[in-house]
């Protein structure tokens, strides 16, 4: 059994502000250590349940947050950016399941720490076909492209609820209760990481028992639509050939999810200017 742990930082234990997840701020050093510990808890749970291999993707910012010297030595780490599959680097047909650690809700969600969708300055909303979703949906669809299910998520209550609403009854570790975008009641690392470990272990056990939702596979071709914050962003995103433009919405249709994902990333990169 081979597991990919796809990580982000906003849903990590204790995180409530942008400063804590932004390189260069004094607080960042503390929270990258906590991120490493949350990931280690998931690795421990996966191996406790019988996983043979664990690969980690560092998915936040420039993909260089996890402290490799403190990472569980049984895992391998995909870091740096841009990589071919970004937050899902390491996914392929050899992976049996994906875990989302430190995930956050889509932009515009009430009661959700640092809610945003891919780029907090650029993207207001995204749709996959007609499904309004966030990073969790994009990344789950990339896993689905390879026939791989998502089996667990950690983050605040809203992130976990959005993932289960989209994917079904996956294991969740709600390690903070958000009361706003920058406020939450947080569990301490000891408690939160035990919860992550237990959820990861149960997720792998349930997968082995055949008790997990199917991979998230979209109808093809796949249309990915981005609503940008300003029209100049849409001006730039629509420079990509064969995109369609409606106001601040730009969409692109691709034959399958892997190229829809790279097309999406290209649109956001251009839009940001
Ligand atoms: Zn992030």
């Amino acid at each position: 059994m081979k597991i990919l742990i796809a990580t982000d930082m906003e849903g990590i234990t204790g995180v409530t502000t942008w400063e804590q997840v932004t390189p260069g701020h004094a607080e960042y050093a503390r929270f990258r250590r906590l991120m490493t510990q949350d990931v280690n808890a998931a690795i421990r749970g996966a191996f406790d349940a019988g996983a043979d291999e664990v690969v980690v993707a560092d998915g936040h910012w420039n993909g260089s947050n996890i402290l490799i010297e403190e990472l569980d030595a049984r895992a391998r780490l995909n870091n740096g950016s841009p990589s071919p599959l970004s937050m899902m680097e390491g996914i392929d047909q050899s992976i049996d399941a994906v875990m989302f650690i430190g995930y956050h809700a889509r932009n515009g969600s009430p009661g959700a720490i640092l809610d945003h969708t891919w780029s907090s300055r650029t993207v207001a909303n995204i749709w996959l076909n007609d499904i309004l979703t966030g990073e969790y949906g994009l990344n789950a669809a990339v896993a689905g492209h390879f026939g791989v299910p998502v089996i667990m998520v950690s983050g605040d209550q809203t992130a976990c609820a959005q993932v289960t609403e989209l994917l079904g009854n996956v294991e969740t570790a709600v390690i903070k209760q958000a009361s706003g975008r920058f406020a939450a009641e947080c569990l301490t690392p000891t408690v939160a990481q035990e919860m992550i470990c237990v959820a990861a272990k149960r997720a792998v056990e349930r997968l082995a028992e055949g008790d997990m939702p199917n991979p998230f596979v979209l109808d093809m071709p796949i249309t990915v639509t981005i609503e940008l914050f300003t029209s100049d962003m849409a001006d730039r995103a629509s420079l990509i050939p064969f995109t369609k433009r409606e106001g601040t919405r730009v969409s692109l249709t691709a034959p399958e999810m892997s190229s829809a994902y790279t097309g999406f990333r290209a649109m956001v990169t251009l839009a940001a200017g």
Side-chain angles (χ1 to χ4, degrees):
M1 175 106 51
K2 188 173 171 186
I3 305 293
L4 173 66
I5 299 180
T7 69
D8 204 349
M9 199 165 184
E10 292 82 353
I12 291 299
T13 296
V15 168
T16 54
T17 72
W18 291 121
E19 288 73 19
Q20 292 164 344
V21 300
T22 304
H25 285 273
E27 286 275 89
Y28 170 73
R30 286 177 60 214
F31 286 89
R32 65 192 300 201
R33 174 156 288 115
L34 286 164
M35 178 183 187
T36 308
Q37 292 169 3
D38 280 14
V39 173
N40 278 340
I43 296 170
R44 205 161 53 240
F47 278 113
D48 285 356
D52 304 298
E53 272 184 77
V54 173
V55 179
V56 177
D58 188 333
H60 177 70
W61 198 269
N62 58 0
S64 182
N65 309 281
I66 291 169
L67 298 168
I68 193 167
E69 64 273 30
E70 294 180 15
L71 192 65
D72 190 313
R74 293 172 291 182
R76 296 192 304 281
L77 177 64
N78 280 294
N79 62 357
S81 83
S83 59
L85 286 169
S86 189
M87 298 183 79
M88 294 300 284
E89 188 61 20
I91 190 76
D92 62 24
Q93 280 93 348
S94 75
I95 300 286
D96 293 286
V98 171
M99 298 178 180
F100 287 160
I101 298 298
Y103 265 49
H104 55 83
R106 65 178 178 260
N107 189 55
S109 305
I113 290 299
L114 305 183
D115 63 307
H116 70 284
T117 300
W118 205 271
S119 163
S120 60
R121 292 197 196 107
T122 318
V123 179
N125 282 300
I126 62 169
W127 291 263
L128 285 172
N129 292 337
D130 290 326
I131 305 167
L132 174 66
T133 190
E135 288 162 42
Y136 58 93
L138 277 166
N139 295 336
V142 172
H145 171 80
F146 293 96
V148 181
V150 174
I151 61 172
M152 119 158 235
V153 56
S154 76
D156 66 26
Q157 82 278 16
T158 308
C160 291
Q162 289 181 359
V163 169
T164 53
E165 185 194 9
L166 181 71
L167 303 179
N169 179 27
V170 304
E171 285 294 317
T172 58
V174 177
I175 50 80
K176 50 192 166 190
Q177 290 284 337
S179 54
R181 197 180 195 201
F182 306 126
E185 183 173 276
C186 300
L187 299 174
T188 61
T190 315
V191 177
Q193 286 153 14
E194 177 60 20
M195 189 181 276
I196 290 168
C197 181
V198 167
K201 183 166 184 282
R202 264 190 60 80
V204 173
E205 287 167 353
R206 283 180 51 201
L207 179 72
E209 290 159 9
D211 176 33
M212 267 294 161
N214 290 327
F216 179 55
V217 180
L218 292 160
D219 293 336
M220 290 169 271
I222 295 164
T223 298
V224 50
T225 303
I226 312 184
E227 182 181 6
L228 297 148
F229 284 122
T230 60
S231 48
D232 63 298
M233 293 174 183
D235 291 342
R236 286 189 295 271
S238 56
L239 292 174
I240 295 177
F242 310 114
T243 48
K244 288 198 181 113
R245 164 91 181 260
E246 232 179 288
T248 54
R249 293 185 190 191
V250 183
S251 64
L252 170 153
T253 300
E256 38 69 34
M257 189 58 208
S258 151
S259 45
Y261 194 58
T262 48
F264 163 78
R265 290 167 59 205
M267 286 196 288
V268 176
T269 303
L270 263 189

